Amino acid sequence: MRKQIIHRFLFVIAIAIFAFLVGVPSSLYGDTFIGKKLSDLKITLGLDLAGGTELDYRIDLSEAREQNNDDDPANDVNLNTIAESVRDSLEQRVNPAGVGEIVVKRSQVEGQEHVIIQMPPSSNVEEAKQDAERDNRLEFFEEDPTKVAAKRLEIAGYLDQMTAWNWDVKVEELTQEEDASFHEVGPRFEDQIGDQELAERLFSASEETFLSSVVETQTEADYTIDDEGNLQVTALPKNVLALIYVSDKETVPREKTLPPKAHARHILFAYPDARRAGEDVPYESKEEAQSKAEEILTQLREEGTENFEELAKEFSTENAAQRTGGDLGTFEPGKMVAEFNDAVFAAEEPGLLDVVESPFGFHVIEVLEITPEQTTTENETQITYEMLAWNADPLRWEKTELDGAELENATVGYDEIGQPLVNLLFDDKGADLFAQITERVSSRRCNGGPCRLGIKVGGQWITQPTVREKIIGRSAQITGQFTFDEAKDLADGLNLGAIDAPVTLSGQTTITPELGTEQLQKSLKAGLAGFIVIMIFIVIMYRFAGVIAAFSLSLYAGLFLSILKIWPESFGGPIVLTLAGIAGIILSIGLAVDGNILIFERLKEELRRGRGLMQAVDLGFERAWPAIRDSNLTTLLTCVILFSFGSSIIKGFAITLIVGTLLSMFTAITISRTLLRFSLLWKPLQKNALFGVSEADVESSKKAVGAKIRKR
C-alpha cells in the first residue's frame, strides 16, 4: 500500500513539473535550450483580446434571382434561405472544429448580401480564403455514344451543303446559331500537326477542297506571351467534331536542322551484377571485367583495329555480337545508354575511346564516323486549313442526377498496390441513383468497348473509369495519380460540400481588439487576485487539507495553461481564448473549489465520528464523489449541448468549460487524494487539528449521535 501511494505521488510530481515547464511564459527561460523549445507554445488570443483580420465576401444571387423571375413559379427559391446556407457553409469551411473563435455573420451592403468572416491572429488567412472560395461541386456524368453519333450525322448533313463559295456564309451562320467555333490553322508543315491521322488526310487533299467526312480531332492550345516573356495559356485543347476546308497548299523552302549522327562499334565486358548480364558471363567480378576491357583496348591500340570484329565475337558478352561483330550502326543522340552516348558524341574525331563504364558493364568503343549537326534547306509542302468545330465533350457526357447532395462521407483509402484514392459513401438515395446510372452505362458500348462514368469536382475532370456491370451498394471510389496529401485535400473538400451560391472576396481589413491591452491586464490581475484569495480562504478553513487544495488548484491552473498551449491541430486546435473562454475557465475554477470543499467537509465529518485519518480521507472522497460526479456530468452535458448548437463564441465558452470541468474532477479526486494519502505516511502530520477538527469536536460528535465509533 505504501509503495503504491509513493508511486502515485511521483506521478503527481511529474505532472506538476510538466505543468510548470509548459504553463509558465517561455520568456522566463531566456535564451536557453528549454526556452527555444517552448517558444512556439503560446496561448492564442481571440478577436476581442488581440484583434485580427476581417474578410468580406459578396454572395452572387444573380442566378437565383433569374430563376425567380422566369415564367415558372415552381422553381422559385428563397434568397434569404440561400444566403443563410452560404453563411453556414463558409463557417463550416473556415472553422470546422468550432474552437477557432472565428466569427461568421451575414451583412447587407447596398442591397447585396455579404458574409463577414472575422479571424483572430492565429488563423491562417490565406488558407481560409482558399477554403472559402473553393468549388467543391461533385458531379457524375455518364458517357452516351448515341448523342455523339447523332451529332456526327447532323454535322455530316452540313457537309453535304458546303461548297468553296458558301463556306464563309455557312461558318458565320452556324457559329451564331449552333454551339460551334471557327479556327484558322496554318500555315503548317506535316510534322507540325499533332494529329498524324489528320495530317495525312490534309496533305492528301487538294487545295480549296473539304475533307470528305466529319473529323474527330483536337483544337490547338491558344496562348499569349506577356511583356516579361511569360507564356500564358488562354485556351486548352478540346476534343471536337469538325468540318475542315483546305484553303491553301504550297511548296516552300524550309530550313531544317539535322541532329549529329555517329557510327560506332563496341566490345562489352559484363559481370554478374551488371544489367541484363547472362548467367554464363566469363568474368566473375567487376574488377575482372574492367581489367579484361583495358587489356583488349591496349591490344587494339598497339596492333590496330583490323581484327576488332573478331575480338568482339570472341570476348563480347553481348548476345548480338556473334552476328554483328559489335557494330551498332548509325545512331543519333539519346539512342544509347547515357554514359555510352556522352562518350561517343564527345569524341572530336573517329577512333578508339577510353574504356567506358555503364550499367551494362565496360565498353571498348571505336567511333567509325561522326556527322556533326548541320542545317539544310529543302522544299516542303505546307498547308493552311479552316475548321468549323463542335465541342465533343458535352456531346459525349450526360450529367446525371447524382451529385454531392447524396454524399455522406469521403475518406482517403488505398488500392491494392498502395496508391491513395478517395472512398465515397452515399446515402440510401445516392446508392439507388448510383446503381441505376451504372446499370445504364454498363449496357452501352462506346468506341467498341465499355462506356465510362465521369466524375468532376469543382468543374474539373477527376476520373473517367469504365463501367462493365451494375454496381450495387453505397460505396464508390475516385482513383487517379493522387499523392496522400492530394487525396486527403480532395476528401476534405468533398466533406465540406458545395455552397448554394458563388462568393467573391470584396474586401479584407485588419480589425482592432474590442478589449484594449490595459483592460486585459486589469482583468488578468483581478483574476489572479481572486485566485489567491480563494486559496487563502481554503487554507484558513481546512488547514493542512487547504494547503493540499491550494497546490491542486495551482496545478489545475498550470495544466489548463499547458492544454491551451499544446492543443493539437488534429483536434481543431489551437483553442482560441476570448472573454467568453475566460468566463468558462473561471466557472470551472469554481467547480474545482466546490469539489475540494465537498471532499474536505466529508473528511471532517468522518474525523468527528472518530475515524482514523487514512480511513477518513478514503471515506471522505468516496462519499463526496457521487455529488461531484453528478454536478460535473450535468455541467458537461450542458457544455456538449452548447457546443453542438451554439455560435462560435458560445462554442469557445463551452470548450473551455469542458476542459476545465474535466481538469477540476482530475485534480480534486486524483491529485488531492494522492497528496493527502502521501502526507499521512508521516506521523507529524497525522493530527486531526491539522485538518480543522479538534478533540472537542470529536467528543461533541460522539455525544450527539449517542454512540461510540471504534478507532482502527
Side-chain angles (χ1 to χ4, degrees), residues 428 444 473:
D428 292 336
R444 301 172 184 154

Side-chain angles (χ1 to χ4, degrees), residues 578-588 653 656-657:
T578 64
L579 285 177
I582 292 175
I585 295 174
I586 293 173
L587 185 56
S588 64
F653 169 79
T656 53
L657 186 53

Side-chain angles (χ1 to χ4, degrees), residues 383-423:
I383 66 166
T384 301
Y385 65 95
E386 298 173 1
M387 181 168 64
L388 181 59
W390 286 260
N391 192 350
D393 285 335
L395 300 174
R396 180 173 290 110
W397 297 100
E398 179 75 19
K399 190 177 184 304
T400 71
E401 56 271 47
L402 179 62
D403 56 28
E406 288 75 41
L407 180 67
E408 276 195 358
N409 189 31
T411 58
V412 179
Y414 297 91
D415 59 18
E416 59 275 4
I417 62 172
Q419 178 70 32
L421 51 79
V422 177
N423 292 311

Side-chain angles (χ1 to χ4, degrees), residues 185-354:
V185 184
R188 294 281 192 275
F189 294 106
E190 186 170 1
D191 59 3
Q192 293 175 331
I193 298 175
D195 186 340
Q196 288 303 304
E197 183 179 347
L198 173 61
E200 291 176 6
R201 294 185 63 184
L202 287 170
F203 281 84
S204 298
S206 302
E207 185 179 356
E208 296 185 348
T209 62
F210 294 92
L211 297 190
S212 59
S213 61
V214 178
V215 176
E216 187 166 356
T217 185
Q218 274 194 335
T219 59
E220 295 183 341
D222 290 334
Y223 60 89
T224 59
I225 299 177
D226 60 22
D227 296 337
E228 298 178 356
N230 299 317
L231 181 68
Q232 296 181 335
V233 178
T234 56
L236 295 172
K238 294 181 179 178
N239 297 315
V240 295
L241 297 175
L243 299 179
I244 294 181
Y245 174 64
V246 181
S247 58
D248 188 48
K249 189 174 185 179
E250 61 178 338
T251 300
V252 296
R254 184 185 186 189
E255 188 177 88
K256 280 189 172 182
T257 299
L258 302 178
K261 295 181 180 180
H263 181 196
R265 55 185 179 179
H266 77 138
I267 305 173
L268 176 63
F269 298 86
Y271 48 89
D273 292 334
R275 187 184 300 175
R276 296 184 186 174
E279 296 180 357
D280 56 346
V281 290
Y283 312 107
E284 297 182 357
S285 66
K286 182 177 182 179
E287 292 73 17
E288 183 180 346
Q290 183 178 8
S291 176
K292 189 63 178 179
E294 292 172 350
E295 177 188 330
I296 296 299
L297 176 61
T298 301
Q299 179 180 338
L300 288 169
R301 282 175 172 168
E302 293 176 352
E303 300 177 0
T305 59
E306 291 78 7
N307 63 339
F308 192 101
E309 182 176 346
E310 288 73 21
L311 291 174
K313 290 180 179 181
E314 180 179 356
F315 294 104
S316 181
T317 58
E318 182 185 22
N319 293 332
Q322 294 299 319
R323 175 175 51 84
T324 63
D327 195 331
L328 298 171
T330 301
F331 52 89
E332 298 176 357
K335 298 297 183 181
M336 300 296 175
V337 67
E339 295 83 358
F340 191 103
N341 180 88
D342 295 344
V344 169
F345 286 97
E348 297 180 356
E349 58 184 14
L352 289 169
L353 306 181
D354 292 334

Side-chain angles (χ1 to χ4, degrees), residues 410-617:
T411 58
V412 179
Y414 297 91
D415 59 18
E416 59 275 4
I417 62 172
Q419 178 70 32
L421 51 79
V422 177
N423 292 311
L424 305 179
L425 181 66
F426 299 113
D427 58 19
D428 292 336
K429 178 183 176 183
D432 293 339
L433 290 174
F434 191 62
Q436 295 170 18
I437 294 167
T438 53
E439 183 177 23
R440 288 198 302 265
V441 175
S442 62
S443 64
R444 301 172 184 154
R445 302 293 290 175
C446 298
N447 298 323
C451 290
R452 296 170 293 170
L453 177 69
I455 301 175
K456 282 185 178 182
V457 175
Q460 301 296 320
W461 287 112
I462 300 298
T463 185
Q464 297 174 353
T466 56
V467 180
R468 291 179 170 81
E469 59 184 9
K470 177 181 178 180
I471 301 175
I472 300 174
R474 298 172 57 196
S475 300
Q477 292 179 340
I478 299 179
T479 58
Q481 299 301 316
F482 298 131
T483 63
F484 175 80
D485 290 339
E486 290 170 342
K488 185 177 184 303
D489 187 51
L490 176 58
D492 290 345
L494 292 174
N495 286 327
L496 289 176
I499 56 177
D500 291 341
V503 294
T504 304
L505 181 64
S506 59
Q508 177 176 336
T509 58
T510 300
I511 54 179
T512 57
E514 297 175 8
L515 182 66
T517 304
E518 182 179 351
Q519 293 297 322
L520 175 60
Q521 295 297 330
K522 289 181 179 180
S523 299
L524 293 175
K525 289 178 181 178
L528 180 61
F531 189 73
I532 294 173
V533 169
I534 289 174
M535 289 196 293
I536 293 173
F537 171 78
I538 292 177
V539 171
I540 293 173
M541 287 294 298
Y542 299 104
R543 313 292 174 81
F544 182 71
V547 174
I548 297 294
F551 179 82
S552 296
L553 287 176
S554 300
L555 184 55
Y556 160 87
L559 286 173
F560 209 124
L561 292 174
S562 300
I563 289 174
L564 290 177
K565 289 183 175 183
I566 66 174
W567 189 276
E569 290 186 7
S570 56
F571 284 90
I575 294 178
V576 179
L577 194 61
T578 64
L579 285 177
I582 292 175
I585 295 174
I586 293 173
L587 185 56
S588 64
I589 291 175
L591 292 173
V593 174
D594 181 61
N596 280 282
I597 289 174
L598 284 173
I599 292 167
F600 296 153
E601 286 296 334
R602 286 290 189 179
L603 186 153
K604 290 170 70 174
E605 287 180 7
E606 297 302 325
L607 289 176
R608 291 190 186 102
R609 291 177 181 176
R611 305 286 189 186
L613 270 171
M614 189 65 78
Q615 185 184 24
V617 168

